[in-house]
Amino acid sequence: MLCLLADSITTDHISPAGSIRKTSPAGQYLIGHGVKPEDFNSYGARRGNHEVMVRGTFANVRLKNLLAPGTEGPVTVHLPDGEQMTIYDASVKYQTEGVPLIVIAGKEYGSGSSRDWAAERPAAARRARGDRAELRADPPLETSWGWDPPLQFLPNQTPENLGLTGKKCFEITGLAAVLSEGFPWGKELVVKATRPDGSSARFTVTVRIDTPQELQYYRHGGILEYVLRQLAP
């Protein structure tokens, strides 16, 4: 797992528009390319630079990741060794190790003003969401399309009452079959969460692809890819 987040995580937590710190992955990238800190400007001003914006995913200085208690900002821990590092560095390390990831987040995840980078960067950073609590995966539930849709806890379920500390291995089965059947609105899947001691728990989630058009976007890997394929001769 990359992040365990509480309620009201906004688009600005996911993809901030504020200033770039020189100690951040984005700041270090710019310094490595000869940019002086006084010329960094902001994430909003550099939104045309893919490398900067990827490194800015979950880079809000007020983000609180419950996987790294007592910290504030883009911090997580790499599992299972528990090494603390930036969320970007952890995502790169997990990708190198071939480990798919999820993000568990609370109610109102992704609320706030519309922001394109907030919508697409978690896929590049390899994350997922869930309790609309939000258990979304990109690519945590790897399918032939390479990333996976939001999954939502059932009513009255929360990460707390399910005992989801984040230090578990999550296995979500049946997603590919559900999606191959057509429009999956309201379909449910079972998630198995295995603890480090080998014991496990199961809970049910709902697939949150809510319209046939969303399914088309999902199958194409996003709105941009969908539009480009419609324009292709």
Side-chain angles (χ1 to χ4, degrees), residues 4 14 18 23 32 36-37 43 70 98 121 134 147 165 172-173 198 214 219:
L4 178 60
I14 301 167
T23 56
K36 297 179 181 179
Y43 288 107
R121 275 319 87 204
E134 291 162 49
W147 62 280
T165 64
I172 304 156
T173 57
E214 282 186 16
R219 285 176 165 166

Side-chain angles (χ1 to χ4, degrees), residues 14-216:
I14 301 167
S15 183
S19 60
I20 301 172
R21 292 186 173 187
K22 65 181 180 180
T23 56
S24 69
Q28 290 298 298
Y29 171 83
L30 290 171
I31 289 172
H33 285 75
V35 181
K36 297 179 181 179
E38 57 266 29
D39 296 325
F40 281 1
N41 212 315
S42 65
Y43 288 107
R46 290 191 176 272
R47 63 195 302 273
N49 187 317
H50 170 86
E51 298 294 344
V52 170
M53 298 304 288
V54 166
R55 287 163 174 78
T57 305
F58 293 117
N60 189 297
V61 296
R62 295 290 178 254
L63 183 75
K64 292 184 179 180
N65 182 4
L66 302 180
L67 271 181
T71 66
E72 191 172 49
V75 181
T76 193
V77 293
H78 177 268
L79 299 173
D81 56 64
E83 181 184 357
Q84 185 170 297
M85 61 184 68
T86 69
I87 291 173
Y88 171 77
D89 289 338
S91 70
V92 171
K93 188 171 183 178
Y94 281 123
Q95 190 171 10
T96 300
E97 296 167 345
V99 177
L101 297 171
I102 65 172
V103 164
I104 292 183
K107 297 176 182 177
E108 300 178 337
Y109 176 83
S111 60
S113 59
S114 176
R115 186 167 296 155
D116 51 350
W117 279 102
E120 67 182 54
R121 275 319 87 204
R126 316 305 257 182
R127 65 95 177 146
R129 80 176 180 182
D131 153 11
R132 235 183 178 47
E134 291 162 49
L135 187 85
R136 170 174 179 166
D138 315 272
L141 325 176
E142 200 76 49
T143 70
S144 60
W145 295 307
W147 62 280
D148 298 279
L151 305 177
Q152 181 177 330
F153 293 130
L154 298 184
N156 302 317
Q157 288 184 339
T158 66
E160 292 76 20
N161 64 33
L162 290 172
L164 304 181
T165 64
K167 298 181 179 180
K168 292 178 171 65
C169 179
F170 293 87
E171 180 181 355
I172 304 156
T173 57
L175 179 62
V178 165
L179 294 174
S180 67
E181 293 170 1
F183 181 39
W185 183 83
K187 297 290 180 65
E188 293 183 348
L189 300 173
V190 173
V191 179
K192 179 182 178 182
T194 303
R195 305 178 183 91
D197 64 5
S199 61
S200 63
R202 296 174 185 270
F203 58 94
T204 301
V205 295
T206 302
V207 178
R208 287 304 304 266
I209 292 182
D210 297 338
T211 69
Q213 191 60 51
E214 282 186 16
L215 180 61
Q216 290 300 314

